[in-house]
């Protein structure tokens, strides 16, 4: 997964974000934080997709849907 794909998923879900040592994102529903995820600011252009998928608590098909939907 590329960094801009991660950012696209975060924007699609309407997640709140914060930058510190890492780029943090969390989804709030009815005032409750439902899931959290993060990515490094490192030099790598790729993020391990399986780690992000596990942090968001979705399976491979659901994650593929998140990436492909508009």
């Amino acid at each position: 997964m590329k960094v801009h794909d991660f950012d696209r998923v975060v924007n699609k879900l309407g997640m709140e974000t914060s930058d510190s040592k890492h780029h943090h994102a969390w989804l709030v529903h009815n005032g409750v934080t439902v899931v959290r995820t993060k990515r490094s600011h490192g030099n790598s252009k790729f993020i391990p997709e399986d780690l992000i998928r596990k942090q968001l608590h979705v399976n491979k098909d659901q994650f593929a849907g998140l990436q492909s939907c508009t």
Side-chain angles (χ1 to χ4, degrees), residues 26-30 32-36 55 57:
W26 59 96
L27 179 64
V28 177
H29 180 70
N30 292 335
V32 177
T33 301
V34 181
V35 294
R36 297 176 186 266
Q55 290 173 357
H57 302 284

Side-chain angles (χ1 to χ4, degrees), residues 47-64:
I47 304 168
E49 183 176 307
D50 60 323
L51 296 178
I52 302 301
R53 184 177 50 80
K54 288 178 184 177
Q55 290 173 357
L56 294 176
H57 302 284
V58 295
N59 63 33
K60 289 181 182 181
D61 294 333
Q62 292 169 331
F63 193 72

Side-chain angles (χ1 to χ4, degrees), residues 9-70:
V9 168
V10 166
N11 290 333
K12 284 180 188 179
L13 294 175
M15 299 176 88
E16 297 181 28
T17 60
S18 169
D19 285 327
S20 59
K21 186 176 179 182
H22 300 290
H23 181 77
H24 296 268
W26 59 96
L27 179 64
V28 177
H29 180 70
N30 292 335
V32 177
T33 301
V34 181
V35 294
R36 297 176 186 266
T37 187
K38 67 179 180 178
R39 71 166 172 84
S40 175
H41 286 292
N43 294 332
S44 176
K45 293 182 181 181
F46 296 99
I47 304 168
E49 183 176 307
D50 60 323
L51 296 178
I52 302 301
R53 184 177 50 80
K54 288 178 184 177
Q55 290 173 357
L56 294 176
H57 302 284
V58 295
N59 63 33
K60 289 181 182 181
D61 294 333
Q62 292 169 331
F63 193 72
L66 280 174
Q67 290 179 301
S68 65
C69 77
T70 58

